[in-house]
Amino acid sequence: SQRRRLLVDRQTFDFYHFFMGYPKVTVAEVSGFALGGGFELALMADIAVVADDTKLGMPATRFLGPALGSLHLFFRRLGPVLARRLLLTGDSITGAEAATLGLVLKAVPLAELEGEVEQLLDRLALIDVALLAANKRIVNVGLELMGARTLQRLAAENDARGHLAPSAQE
């Protein structure tokens, strides 16, 4: 039902904002297939490093509605033209393409992925956690000022509507 869908969407909205408001830096190490929720989780992290051959995408946008957790990230990082391409087609991209487009920090060969992330974590560990939290907070406030919460809320409403489409019902 639409009411249940709105509840699920609200939980996803809250989950995303938990990540955003969490004072510690989150780093995603991504390989293989990160489709749908996996892609959204990667984008929810403060920093994502991916294997260059990783497949990332939102195929469910073809039949279930908008990308809920990461909609504003697509839009802000890609701009409307590329966000439309990914969201309207449900196409997948490689980790290398995601890095080129600015969706993730970096793409490296799978054999180098763990070492790359470990080096990043080692660098972060040299910084006082209070300073990391303060810097993360200021970036997040900037996102909020750019309308991140509003766009996220609208995505949740439209996701519920998308689940009512005839193709979703089938």
Side-chain angles (χ1 to χ4, degrees), residues 30-35 51-57 92-95 97:
V30 186
S31 63
F33 291 88
L35 302 171
D52 52 12
D53 62 349
T54 299
K55 296 291 181 200
L56 304 124
S92 295
I93 58 173
T94 65
E97 290 172 303

Side-chain angles (χ1 to χ4, degrees), residues 3-167:
R3 184 172 182 191
R4 170 137 173 49
R5 185 75 230 155
L6 285 172
L7 175 62
V8 169
D9 290 346
R10 178 62 199 195
Q11 290 169 337
T12 303
F13 179 84
D14 291 344
F15 182 68
Y16 171 76
H17 287 286
F18 167 79
F19 265 93
M20 197 169 177
Y22 190 66
K24 295 190 177 190
V25 175
T26 57
V27 178
E29 179 181 318
V30 186
S31 63
F33 291 88
L35 302 171
F39 192 18
E40 289 185 314
L41 279 172
L43 293 181
M44 286 180 195
D46 297 313
I47 301 171
V49 181
V50 302
D52 52 12
D53 62 349
T54 299
K55 296 291 181 200
L56 304 124
M58 297 299 300
T61 60
R62 295 178 189 141
F63 54 90
L64 287 178
L68 184 56
S70 57
L71 181 62
H72 84 276
L73 294 170
F74 280 120
F75 189 77
R76 183 181 51 79
R77 292 182 189 175
L78 296 176
V81 172
L82 291 172
R84 282 186 188 119
R85 179 209 162 197
L86 287 179
L87 295 173
L88 296 177
T89 65
D91 286 348
S92 295
I93 58 173
T94 65
E97 290 172 303
T100 299
L101 295 172
L103 278 173
V104 299
L105 174 66
K106 193 172 191 179
V108 297
L110 179 60
E112 299 172 20
L113 181 60
E114 185 175 350
E116 186 70 33
V117 171
E118 286 298 322
Q119 286 178 356
L120 174 62
L121 293 173
D122 288 345
R123 288 196 308 275
L124 289 170
L126 297 173
I127 303 167
D128 184 298
V129 293
L131 292 175
L132 287 172
N135 287 326
K136 177 177 175 170
R137 178 70 184 134
I138 196 65
V139 171
N140 289 345
V141 168
L143 289 171
E144 290 174 16
L145 290 171
M146 293 168 64
R149 284 187 187 265
T150 302
L151 186 56
Q152 200 71 29
R153 194 170 40 255
L154 291 171
E157 293 171 13
N158 282 311
D159 184 60
R161 286 187 188 99
H163 278 79
L164 297 174
S167 62

